[in-house]
């Protein structure tokens, strides 16, 4: 038989004649399967907690250090600015100033636009681009993350809060709920980082986020038709059908001046984005486009005041620094549950985006980002922001990409950006009086179109149909039900996928590759052959209460199918079942009972059950349950090869 391990195909596997190897012609050596070294329960618990919560061993730098060095390392650990600040110099400052001013030109119009997306006053978007970046620059560990409002969190906050309170009928209560949701979002994020529970956000799989962001992008785009078409009376609902119905039913409110200006600037910004994507060195073309559009559109409306009365404008924006909002936090009352729920959902989404963006640019620039520090930094800046008239902020992908391309070297670029926003808040607010609302809609549209990743969806379809189903359900749920429920459906499908893998683990029959001691999947390797009188099964999962019954039933089916194959091919009678437990990383009491039941069922069929290569933790559990004693005599082996060789030698003594 020719060897071709690169081919993957299904076929009928022949039975092989097994040659039992011996060492230099002498007696065959069988290795003992040993228990792991004895440890106390406290030591085991300490090791397990360390592996779960501290896989990176964050305190290793403190070993064998003086008290002074430990104090300095503690400051650097909790405040990364002390780590890179000591090496800061003028060339780094020059790069950070350029990148900070560049992202400020993008952050100012986006801040105003995203605040409108969250149904908040535009000035809140600028407030949110001032305080949070300053706090992140002290606590954050990413060099390139540009902090501010983002479209997804703005959309979710706007849709969830507006279902309970109308931003037009009761704007003060709505603003209070927005600040309160931001407080709870920050508290939730900081708690995850402090307790090192970052794995919670991993339940938002990539497939879920691809569908969610695409659905949200479509909803956001449809919502912007109000500004692009100049519609005054528009639905507050976020589903596709009500939005389209509102657009079509209000055709008499469409304004041709607004349509011309809106689509003209939208085409301009999409063109600049295309240029920057084709030629990355021209990143500044796309970065400067939003602010350029704001300036040009404002000038057009100002110069044509008499002829542009049909174009709605932003109007008066108050000058000055962020006013305190601690007294506006809504901590008791009938809407508190809504604020908490909104805070947790937006907190998870913004944290997921911020961590993903930070890790992406850290990988590109070859440095590491501490996920737990990032969670605490993002959480604390949102908690501080809720007390200074800010709403949920995180690391923005678009602004971070511009920041990186502009040559940012440290988090000082966030300080420069915040300083530019400060100057705007103090002196430049009257200049935005004539800025048309339509330009904000065009800026939002330009930003969210990039969230529709059809290539990622196509890849999901090719690679994993269940992941694609989660993506599709998330997309359709956001479009036709609601933003939070669409996200919940997608998370539910992702959790169902995990449960499916846990409760229905993969099992396979193994065969011997001729001339070797290698045993591989019979359906995967053409050169693997059945071993006479043996059925070798591998389990690729821990054995838990959730899958123990399934594994019993599946093993009985393997035995039945093997006996049918033997009968059809006149092969050697089945005598022994070998369980390859290499991939069984853990077992619980239900799993131990399942092994015991399987052994009894095999004995009733006069079949021998043998365990091969159980890992240390499994060996420990089997020993403590006293089940291991029943496998001591010719029932426990270090490898499948040794099990087959030794048991065969007992049946057929070698010459």
């Amino acid at each position: 038989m020719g060897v071709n391990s690169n081919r993957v195909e299904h076929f009928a596997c022949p039975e092989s004649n097994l040659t039992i190897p011996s060492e230099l012609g002498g007696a065959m050596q069988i290795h003992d399967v040993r228990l792991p070294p004895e440890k106390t329960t406290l030591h085991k618990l300490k090791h397990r907690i360390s592996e779960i919560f501290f896989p990176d061993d964050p305190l290793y730098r403190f070993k064998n250090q003086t008290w002074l060095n430990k104090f300095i390392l503690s400051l650097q650990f909790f405040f990364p600015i002390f780590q890179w600040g000591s090496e800061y110099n003028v060339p780094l400052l020059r790069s950070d100033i350029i990148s900070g001013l560049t992202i400020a030109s993008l952050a100012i119009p986006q801040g105003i636009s995203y605040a409108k997306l969250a149904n908040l006053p535009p000035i809140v978007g600028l407030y949110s681009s001032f305080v949070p970046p300053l706090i992140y620059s002290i606590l954050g560990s990413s060099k390139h993350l540009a902090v501010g409002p983002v479209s997804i969190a703005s959309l979710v906050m706007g849709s969830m809060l507006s279902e309970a309170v109308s931003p037009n009928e009761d704007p003060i209560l709505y603003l209070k709920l927005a600040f309160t949701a931001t407080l709870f979002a920050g508290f939730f994020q900081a708690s995850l980082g402090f307790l090192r529970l970052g794995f919670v956000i991993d339940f938002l799989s990539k497939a879920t986020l691809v569908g969610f962001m695409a659905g949200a992008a479509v909803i956001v785009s449809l919502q912007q038709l109000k500004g692009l078409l100049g519609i005054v009376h528009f639905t507050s609902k976020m589903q596709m059908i009500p939005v389209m119905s509102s657009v079509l039913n209000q055709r008499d409110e469409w304004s041709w001046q607004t349509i011309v200006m809106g689509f003209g600037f939208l085409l301009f910004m999409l063109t600049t984005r295309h240029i920057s994507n084709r030629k990355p060195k021209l990143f500044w073309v796309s970065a400067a486009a939003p602010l350029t559009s704001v300036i040009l559109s404002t000038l057009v409306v100002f110069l044509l005041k008499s002829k542009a009365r049909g174009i709605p404008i932003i109007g008066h924006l108050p000058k000055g620094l962020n006013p305190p909002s601690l007294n506006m936090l809504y901590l008791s009352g009938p809407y508190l549950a809504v604020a908490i729920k909104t805070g947790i959902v937006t907190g998870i989404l913004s944290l997921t985006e911020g961590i993903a963006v930070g890790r992406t640019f850290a990988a590109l620039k070859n440095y590491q980002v501490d996920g737990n520090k990032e969670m605490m930094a993002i959480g604390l800046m949102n908690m501080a922001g809720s007390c200074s008239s800010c709403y949920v902020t995180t690391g923005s992908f678009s602004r971070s990409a511009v920041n990186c391309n502009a040559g940012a070297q440290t988090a000082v670029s966030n300080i420069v950006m915040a300083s530019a926003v400060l100057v705007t808040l103090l002196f430049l607010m009257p200049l935005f009086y004539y800025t048309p609302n339509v330009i904000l809609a065009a800026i939002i549209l330009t930003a969210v179109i990039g969230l529709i990743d059809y290539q990622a969806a196509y890849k999901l379809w090719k690679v994993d149909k269940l992941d694609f189903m989660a993506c599709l359900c998330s997309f359709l749920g956001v479009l036709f039900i609601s933003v939070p429920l669409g996200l919940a459906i997608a998370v539910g499908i992702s959790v169902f996928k995990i449960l499916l893998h846990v409760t229905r683990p993969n099992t396979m029959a193994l065969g011997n590759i001729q001339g070797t001691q290698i045993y591989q999947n019979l359906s995967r390797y053409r050169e693997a052959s059945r071993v006479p009188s043996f059925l070798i099964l591998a389990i690729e999962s821990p054995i838990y209460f959730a899958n123990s019954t399934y594994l019993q039933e599946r093993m009985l089916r393997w035995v039945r199918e093997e006996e049918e194959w033997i009968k059809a091919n006149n092969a050697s009678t089945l005598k022994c079942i070998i369980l390859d437990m290499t991939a069984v990383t853990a077992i619980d009491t239900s799993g131990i009972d399942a092994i015991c039941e399987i052994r009894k069922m095999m004995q009733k069929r006069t079949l021998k059950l043998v365990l091969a290569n159980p890992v240390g933790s499994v060996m420990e559990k089997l020993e403590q349950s006293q089940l291991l004693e029943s496998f001591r005599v010719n029932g426990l082996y270090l490898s499948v090869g040794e099990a087959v060789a030794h048991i065969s030698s007992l049946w057929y003594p070698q010459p």
Side-chain angles (χ1 to χ4, degrees), residues 354-408:
I355 298 293
V357 172
R359 286 175 175 169
T360 298
F361 288 102
L364 286 174
K365 296 298 181 178
N366 196 27
Y367 67 93
Q368 286 188 328
V369 165
D370 189 323
N372 290 293
K373 285 184 185 177
E374 289 296 286
M375 292 177 200
M376 292 184 66
I378 293 173
L380 290 173
M381 77 181 187
N382 277 319
M383 290 175 68
S386 68
C387 301
S388 54
S389 300
C390 305
Y391 77 108
V392 175
T393 54
T394 187
S396 164
F397 185 82
S398 60
R399 286 195 290 275
S400 299
V402 170
N403 195 30
C404 181
N405 289 329

Side-chain angles (χ1 to χ4, degrees), residues 280-523:
K281 290 184 178 180
L282 298 177
F283 68 90
W284 55 270
V285 174
S286 176
L291 188 59
T292 304
S293 300
V294 168
I295 294 172
L296 292 177
S297 61
T298 304
L299 285 174
V300 168
V301 173
F302 176 73
L303 295 174
L304 301 176
K305 281 186 283 189
S306 58
K307 298 181 180 179
R309 290 180 179 175
I311 301 178
I313 58 176
I314 291 179
H316 174 71
L317 292 176
K319 291 196 299 183
L321 293 177
N322 298 34
S325 55
L326 185 62
N327 60 330
M328 295 188 69
L329 294 178
Y330 187 93
L331 300 177
S332 63
Y335 297 107
L336 180 60
V338 175
I340 294 174
K341 182 173 69 172
T342 304
I344 291 175
V345 173
T346 55
I348 291 175
L349 287 173
S350 59
L351 193 60
T352 303
E353 181 173 353
I355 298 293
V357 172
R359 286 175 175 169
T360 298
F361 288 102
L364 286 174
K365 296 298 181 178
N366 196 27
Y367 67 93
Q368 286 188 328
V369 165
D370 189 323
N372 290 293
K373 285 184 185 177
E374 289 296 286
M375 292 177 200
M376 292 184 66
I378 293 173
L380 290 173
M381 77 181 187
N382 277 319
M383 290 175 68
S386 68
C387 301
S388 54
S389 300
C390 305
Y391 77 108
V392 175
T393 54
T394 187
S396 164
F397 185 82
S398 60
R399 286 195 290 275
S400 299
V402 170
N403 195 30
C404 181
N405 289 329
Q409 299 296 319
T410 67
V412 170
S413 59
N414 275 296
I415 298 177
V416 175
M417 180 192 72
S419 301
V421 173
L422 173 62
V423 172
T424 303
L425 287 169
L426 292 177
F427 306 109
L428 305 181
M429 297 314 296
L431 299 180
F432 292 98
Y433 183 89
Y434 287 101
T435 300
N437 287 331
V438 65
I439 205 64
L440 304 181
I443 291 172
I444 293 173
L445 265 172
T446 307
V448 300
I449 284 175
L451 298 178
I452 304 175
D453 194 348
Y454 61 90
Q455 292 179 337
Y458 178 67
K459 186 177 180 181
L460 289 172
W461 168 257
K462 287 181 64 178
V463 175
D464 192 321
K465 299 297 188 291
L466 199 57
D467 267 354
F468 178 79
M469 186 62 65
C471 173
L472 185 64
C473 287
S474 177
F475 178 74
L476 296 177
V478 170
L479 280 186
F480 295 103
I481 304 176
S482 71
V483 173
L485 279 180
L487 183 63
I489 291 170
V491 171
I493 292 176
S494 297
V495 172
F496 172 74
K497 181 183 176 182
I498 295 172
L499 293 175
L500 193 63
H501 285 305
V502 170
T503 58
R504 295 295 183 267
N506 189 32
T507 59
M508 65 183 75
L510 305 182
N512 177 248
I513 296 180
Q514 294 283 355
T516 71
Q517 286 292 291
I518 299 173
Y519 291 80
Q520 282 292 348
N521 192 341
L522 284 169
S523 63

Side-chain angles (χ1 to χ4, degrees), residues 18-335:
L18 181 72
T19 302
I20 302 174
S22 61
E23 301 211 359
L24 302 176
M28 178 179 55
Q29 181 180 0
I30 301 298
H31 297 85
D32 291 334
V33 183
R34 299 176 184 174
L35 286 165
E38 288 190 14
K39 298 177 182 177
T40 63
T41 303
L42 183 62
H43 190 277
K44 291 177 186 176
L45 181 63
K46 180 181 176 182
H47 176 74
R48 188 60 180 158
I49 291 175
S50 175
E51 288 297 308
I52 293 174
F53 298 105
F54 305 97
D56 54 344
D57 189 14
L59 302 179
Y60 77 96
R61 298 166 56 196
F62 293 84
K63 295 177 182 177
N64 304 320
Q65 297 288 339
T66 64
W67 282 106
L68 178 60
N69 286 341
K70 285 182 179 179
F71 176 73
I72 296 172
L73 290 173
S74 299
L75 284 178
Q76 293 176 350
F77 182 79
F78 291 107
F79 303 98
I81 191 171
F82 287 106
Q83 187 171 354
W84 51 263
S86 59
E87 302 173 356
Y88 203 71
N89 52 41
V90 174
L92 294 178
L93 178 61
R94 188 184 304 115
S95 299
D96 287 336
I97 288 175
I98 294 172
S99 57
L101 293 176
T102 305
I103 56 174
S105 68
L106 181 63
I108 292 170
Q110 278 192 350
I112 296 173
S113 303
Y114 292 158
K116 295 281 284 184
L117 185 58
N119 299 318
L120 294 167
I123 191 65
V124 174
L126 288 181
Y127 291 157
S128 303
S129 300
F130 173 55
V131 172
L134 292 177
I135 296 174
Y136 180 83
S137 63
I138 298 172
L139 300 175
S141 59
S142 173
K143 300 176 183 178
H144 300 96
L145 199 68
V147 172
V150 292
S151 57
I152 293 298
S154 302
L155 167 69
V156 173
M157 176 173 283
S159 62
M160 292 183 72
L161 292 182
S162 60
E163 289 178 359
V165 177
S166 172
N168 297 321
E169 296 176 4
D170 199 343
I172 301 300
L173 177 59
Y174 186 90
L175 194 59
K176 288 181 177 180
L177 292 180
F179 293 151
T180 308
T182 302
L183 174 67
F184 283 107
F187 180 76
F188 178 73
Q189 293 165 336
S191 299
L192 289 182
F194 181 75
L195 300 175
R196 303 184 73 84
L197 297 174
F199 57 84
V200 171
I201 65 174
D202 292 337
F203 281 97
L204 283 176
S205 64
K206 182 180 179 182
T208 301
L209 289 175
V210 167
F212 175 77
M213 288 193 295
V218 173
I219 287 293
V220 170
S221 301
L222 293 176
Q223 279 283 337
Q224 301 320 303
L225 291 177
K226 172 185 177 181
L228 283 175
L229 301 177
I231 299 175
V232 178
H233 302 91
F234 199 74
T235 181
S236 59
K237 296 181 179 179
M238 301 297 291
Q239 296 81 20
M240 183 176 182
I241 294 175
V243 170
M244 291 305 299
S245 298
S246 182
V247 170
L248 296 175
N249 292 336
Q250 306 296 335
R251 289 192 301 270
D252 56 323
E253 294 185 1
W254 292 12
S255 168
W256 69 266
Q257 300 101 320
T258 304
I259 293 173
V260 171
M261 176 176 284
F263 282 94
F265 280 104
L266 177 62
L267 181 62
F268 166 69
M269 284 185 281
L270 290 176
T271 303
T272 57
R273 166 179 279 191
H274 179 71
I275 293 171
S276 296
N277 289 339
R278 293 289 298 272
K279 297 181 179 181
K281 290 184 178 180
L282 298 177
F283 68 90
W284 55 270
V285 174
S286 176
L291 188 59
T292 304
S293 300
V294 168
I295 294 172
L296 292 177
S297 61
T298 304
L299 285 174
V300 168
V301 173
F302 176 73
L303 295 174
L304 301 176
K305 281 186 283 189
S306 58
K307 298 181 180 179
R309 290 180 179 175
I311 301 178
I313 58 176
I314 291 179
H316 174 71
L317 292 176
K319 291 196 299 183
L321 293 177
N322 298 34
S325 55
L326 185 62
N327 60 330
M328 295 188 69
L329 294 178
Y330 187 93
L331 300 177
S332 63
Y335 297 107

Side-chain angles (χ1 to χ4, degrees), residues 33 35 592 595-596 599 603 608-611 614 618-636:
V33 183
L35 286 165
I592 292 171
I595 295 290
C596 189
R599 184 171 175 274
Q603 284 178 338
K608 183 178 181 63
L609 180 65
V610 172
L611 306 181
V618 174
M619 279 284 290
E620 225 172 15
K621 294 286 183 67
L622 294 176
E623 172 72 15
Q624 291 165 354
S625 67
Q626 299 181 344
L627 179 61
L628 203 58
E629 289 299 323
S630 59
F631 287 95
R632 290 287 189 191
V633 181
N634 302 327
L636 192 63

